[in-house]
Amino acid sequence: MEANAGMVAGSHKRNEFVMIRHEGEPGPKLMKNFNGQECQICGDTVGLSATGDLFVACNECAFPVCRACYEYERKEGNKSCPQCKTRYKRHKGSPRVEGDDEEDDVDDLDNEFSYRQGNAKAGSKWQLQGQEDVDLSSSSRHEPQHRIPRLTSGQQVSGEVPDASPDRHSIRSPSSGYVDPSLPVPVRIVDPSKDLNSYGLGSVDWKERVDGWKLKQDKNIVQMTNKYNDGKGDMEGTGSNGEDLLMADDARQPLSRVVPIPSNQLNLYRVVIILRLIILCFFFQYRITHPVPDAYPLWLTSVICEIWFALSWLLDQFPKWYPINRETYLERLALRYDREGEPSQLAPVDVFVSTVDPLKEPPLITANTVLSILAVDYPVDKVSCYVSDDGSAMLTFEALSETAEFARKWVPFCKKHNIEPRAPEFYFAQKIDYLKDKIQPSFVKERRAMKREYEEFKVRINALVAKAQKTPEEGWTMQDGTPWPGNNPRDHPGMIQVFLGHSGGLDTDGNELPRLVYVSREKRPGFQHHKKAGAMNALIRVSAVLTNGAYLLNVDCDHYFNNSKALREAMCFMMDPALGKKTCYVQFPQRFDGIDLHDRYANRNIVFFDINLKGLDGIQGPVYVGTGCCFNRQALYGYDPVLTEADLEPNIIFKSCCGSRKKRKGGDRSYIDSKKRAMKRTESSVPIFNMEDMEEGIEGYEDERSLLMSQRSLEKRFGQSPIFVASTFMEQGGIPPSTDPASLLKEAIHVISCGYEDKTEWGKEIGWIYGSVTEDILTGFKMHARGWISIYCMPPRPAFKGSAPINLSDRLNQVLRWALGSIEILLSRHCPIWYGYKGRLKLLERVAYINTIVYPITSIPLIAYCVLPAICLLTGKFIIPEISNYAGMWFILLFISIFATGILELRWSGVGIEDWWRNEQFWVIGGTSAHLFAVFQGLLKVLAGIDTSFTVTSKASDEDGDFSELYIFKWTSLLIPPTTVLVINMVGIVAGVSYAVNSGYQSWGPLFGRLFFAFWVIAHLYPFLKGLMGRQNRTPTIVIVWSILLASIFSLLWVHIDPFTSPTQKAATMGQCGVNC
């Protein structure tokens, strides 16, 4: 589909298909697909051998020759390799010719005297190789451990020196032609007794390549020695500290490495955790065996709360047992896949941007995100940006049109001067020396002109926003007078518009721009659209039809690319031979702009991103956090990863419950079948089978037909779109070569129709998973349960930056949404407590997922524990009896272990003490407000069917001054519980001190423990108290009324009931006092 060819709108169910503002026939530029290495004699594909590996005719020089030319050369030619003149050896399945050596391991008596028969059999094997597949809804991909790892890919790697020692194998890239990255590199043995000219190693060209390689390698050794002089950190997948690989070719080295936490920090951290666990056991032994008779309800409540806090700590602590750091090598990625002067072999990536309401998500912020994507440092023909407008707002459409025009000027400016970040709003707002490292004399003049262009662009966007404030009675109309199809956001057809594309839309320098596509899925009354998860699944399908990038990256509309090399950072893991086949996604940490200096409400969430996710990265990978995440498209389709024998072993829980695999007689049949099927499967950039094969099967091959999925099962899984189904088998991305370009637009409208997902597995096993407002947790959990791993990537320059609600009410509503999603998962069939024990989810990873869904329940014991100090002060009781020195020692040790654990976490993670304290404070604020409401709303939603609607968090820019939004008060019922807790504790402090003053000196000792408890609560709620006061130190009347009312009622009822005084004591008191007391 050409850029600016016009908007396409339609409905598949209503058989409507309309081209609006049509300017030309659609003609998408199809991506070229490569099947593998080309034969240097006939130009055909070399193909595969009988064992499924790349066919190598000559074991000496690996000159690319197909099987047919190899057989012809042996039968009719001079029987030798055209390049090195070495006589061809006989391969298995080939007929014997005169002069062949007697080799027992390659004898094939069936083909001994039948040249045609042997050729036919071999040919049938090659044909079936591209048609074999397995049950794609279950374990479908497997890689044996003995397979040679892929070290090079793409075209010939210049400067690649094989190890010529007689006792080692050398890896050699092909002399010319394209190399399929999925195929193993051929192995040859270099005989030192032979003349190296026969291998092509003695030529002048080779000598120049060797000399150039040596110079470059010497430079790399010096750089890497200075950078990693400590020698610490295992190479990913090698177990080496990197010293043995320094002299190897850069193109063969890993694209990333694991940098473990220093052992002196990590070992001490683990020791303290174990000691804290032991101290907890002694603490609870004392607490349970020493009740408080005169305050038994208070004691019992406190013990129950403390036990729950201990369990919550265990769920949070042990997933941080293996924290790691990672480091990427962008130079090696470029050397392997993006060599200068050669066609780039980097994988295509589709970037998703989701937006709903342009009045709450300003179009200017969305435009900056889109501009940062279009200017990313990645081949333009490999990047496509899809913007999902789930509100069908004409304002978003018009703003995106303006953005596409401005991108023609902005993108070449960014790439010419290599600026960061590439979002203009944030680039021009930087308070730094923008002339640093700039050497072009024209930069200042061009920057000044570009800033003026951007300011004019902002004025045009602001004019569109102002115009959209009042909707006309007849609805919006487009420039040509056509009514806007999305005037009714709940009843409109699907809409697609390509603003920029590979076949059009050049920048001011005449270069191509990445593709920019506007998508608004169809919506009709009576259909369940599943909010953001449904919109993301629609983007998966429409992108598969139009571009089909092998990887997907999703960002929120307010999260721009702060690092233009973010895609390359992700590809260092996704395209790594050791990691890529089993990595479902690469998660980047979230970083934010516009946060107040002291981060009053812990908006940065540093503890979670820099401690918890680092810990998970050492187990099975971080959880998916909803944005800034690069996905493997195959993982979203529900496929299983390529696993080794060790990976396919059942997890420890399943093995302990069901026994080992050896003890089961018939239970491992599916495991063996999956191994056999996966062994036959080959990776290719073409579909594993076409639609005709799916319908007809392969006659005469019952085993093969049993492995192929029928047309009906495919439609049940993926939906009724042959083009989309065919694209799901393109593991390397790209459009199927048999696709009709004229059908792409109509098919794209079809796959975003509101009824497309009916009776399919979308949202159940495929794509973003439905069933929770926090679809991110559920989606990542399903992938990990299948055995995929995820990677946590933290580049030195943050990859993405976004905005966060700094207002108290907005922040609490955001936390409420997250907590409610966790409760929904807890009460669903996908709960990690009982789901997926037959899968490949690691134990500590499961513990981490359990922690993410049960943490809202902690609000119930937390609010009870925060009220206990006030009750103790009002009644004069306490939850702990008078303790001995022995018992006091365990209390002191417990506090010391808690602080020691926190300090050591800060030490290995690099998190500051202020960030840690803000996190502790907001844990109490959120637990006494949003989490508590989430528990009850979740129960109402799941048990009673009462749904709760959420509004999109406002992302408006701060135009009234620095952090003015921080001091604005917005009423919400979430403020009532923590305010009540604050008032009760303050009243309790006053009552306790008054009682001590009236009772004499002996009552001050017990009072200190109760006062400490109350001040602990107030200290944690202090940011909340500041938020209530605001800048003018005025609290809204409604908050004061509700809080004082509830606190007064609670206190009066307590004094009236007096539950800790028996009737006998009351009577005795009345008798002693008398009437005239």
Side-chain angles (χ1 to χ4, degrees), residues 166-180:
D167 57 341
R168 289 190 178 184
H169 289 177
S170 63
I171 308 297
R172 185 178 190 273
S173 62
S175 59
S176 62
Y178 174 81
V179 179
D180 192 338

Side-chain angles (χ1 to χ4, degrees), residues 597-637:
L597 181 62
H598 299 289
D599 193 13
R600 179 185 293 179
Y601 306 123
N603 284 281
R604 292 191 179 93
N605 217 352
I606 293 294
V607 172
F608 174 75
F609 287 112
D610 288 16
I611 296 181
N612 293 68
L613 294 192
K614 277 185 180 180
L616 289 178
D617 198 20
I619 304 173
Q620 198 174 346
V623 299
Y624 169 42
V625 298
T627 183
C629 187
C630 184
F631 285 94
N632 186 333
R633 190 182 281 267
Q634 297 295 313
L636 285 171
Y637 287 157

Side-chain angles (χ1 to χ4, degrees), residues 166-217:
D167 57 341
R168 289 190 178 184
H169 289 177
S170 63
I171 308 297
R172 185 178 190 273
S173 62
S175 59
S176 62
Y178 174 81
V179 179
D180 192 338
S182 64
L183 298 176
V185 178
V187 179
R188 61 171 180 167
I189 300 176
V190 180
D191 187 355
S193 63
K194 285 190 176 184
D195 184 6
L196 293 181
N197 288 321
S198 62
Y199 296 96
L201 302 180
S203 63
V204 176
D205 176 68
W206 183 264
K207 186 177 184 300
E208 293 175 354
R209 289 165 63 190
V210 171
D211 293 339
W213 174 84
K214 288 180 178 179
L215 291 175
K216 183 175 65 175
Q217 198 63 31

Side-chain angles (χ1 to χ4, degrees), residues 679-698:
M679 291 284 287
K680 296 179 182 179
R681 181 171 178 179
T682 60
E683 291 187 41
S684 177
S685 59
V686 300
I688 297 175
F689 47 84
N690 55 39
M691 298 305 295
E692 295 178 357
D693 292 334
M694 293 182 231
E695 294 174 355
E696 300 175 4
I698 303 178

Side-chain angles (χ1 to χ4, degrees), residues 412-424:
F413 171 75
C414 294
K415 294 187 176 181
K416 179 180 179 180
H417 300 290
N418 194 27
I419 66 170
E420 295 284 1
R422 299 189 176 181

Side-chain angles (χ1 to χ4, degrees), residues 309-550:
F309 294 153
L311 293 176
S312 178
W313 170 74
L314 290 175
L315 293 176
D316 179 71
Q317 186 65 67
F318 279 99
K320 296 182 284 189
W321 191 261
Y322 301 103
I324 61 171
N325 294 310
R326 293 184 187 269
E327 191 173 56
T328 57
Y329 300 105
L330 299 180
E331 298 82 5
R332 297 177 186 175
L333 179 75
L335 184 64
R336 183 177 298 185
Y337 296 109
D338 194 27
R339 299 177 63 82
E340 187 176 355
E342 300 177 3
S344 175
Q345 301 300 325
L346 290 172
V349 182
D350 294 335
V351 184
F352 296 167
V353 181
S354 57
T355 181
V356 180
D357 188 351
L359 299 180
K360 293 184 178 180
E361 299 169 326
L364 187 62
I365 293 180
T366 305
N368 273 271
T369 299
V370 172
L371 289 170
S372 69
I373 295 171
L374 298 178
V376 73
D377 183 10
Y378 207 75
V380 293
D381 59 326
K382 305 284 187 179
V383 179
S384 300
C385 177
Y386 291 83
V387 180
S388 170
D389 178 17
D390 220 31
S392 66
M394 188 174 176
L395 173 57
T396 303
F397 177 81
E398 294 293 345
L400 205 60
S401 178
E402 291 286 350
T403 304
E405 289 302 316
F406 179 71
R408 302 175 192 272
K409 306 171 185 178
W410 173 252
V411 172
F413 171 75
C414 294
K415 294 187 176 181
K416 179 180 179 180
H417 300 290
N418 194 27
I419 66 170
E420 295 284 1
R422 299 189 176 181
E425 180 71 21
F426 303 95
Y427 169 69
F428 291 121
Q430 291 182 114
K431 297 178 181 179
I432 61 173
D433 180 14
Y434 63 85
L435 297 178
K436 186 179 181 180
D437 300 329
K438 297 297 184 291
I439 60 177
Q440 298 188 31
S442 62
F443 171 69
V444 175
K445 182 179 179 180
E446 292 181 9
R447 184 183 186 275
R448 188 181 299 117
M450 183 54 60
K451 186 174 183 180
R452 181 183 179 88
E453 292 281 355
Y454 177 65
E455 289 172 349
E456 294 176 355
F457 167 72
K458 287 178 66 175
V459 171
R460 293 194 296 270
I461 296 295
N462 292 336
L464 292 175
V465 175
K467 181 181 177 182
Q469 297 298 320
K470 186 177 181 181
T471 305
E473 294 181 1
E474 65 278 6
W476 298 106
T477 57
M478 304 179 73
Q479 294 179 358
D480 60 352
T482 307
W484 172 247
N487 275 322
N488 187 347
R490 298 183 180 180
D491 187 3
H492 64 85
M495 296 176 284
I496 298 176
Q497 167 74 59
V498 179
F499 289 104
L500 301 172
H502 304 163
S503 59
L506 304 179
D507 61 24
T508 54
D509 293 344
N511 299 318
E512 288 187 355
L513 291 169
R515 182 170 300 203
L516 175 61
V517 185
Y518 169 87
V519 179
S520 182
R521 57 178 174 149
E522 181 185 15
K523 286 190 176 181
R524 301 295 181 189
F527 286 90
Q528 178 61 261
H529 300 293
H530 301 290
K531 300 179 182 179
K532 181 182 176 181
M536 299 305 295
N537 285 338
L539 285 184
I540 292 178
R541 297 190 295 271
V542 73
S543 64
V545 171
L546 296 181
T547 53
N548 196 32

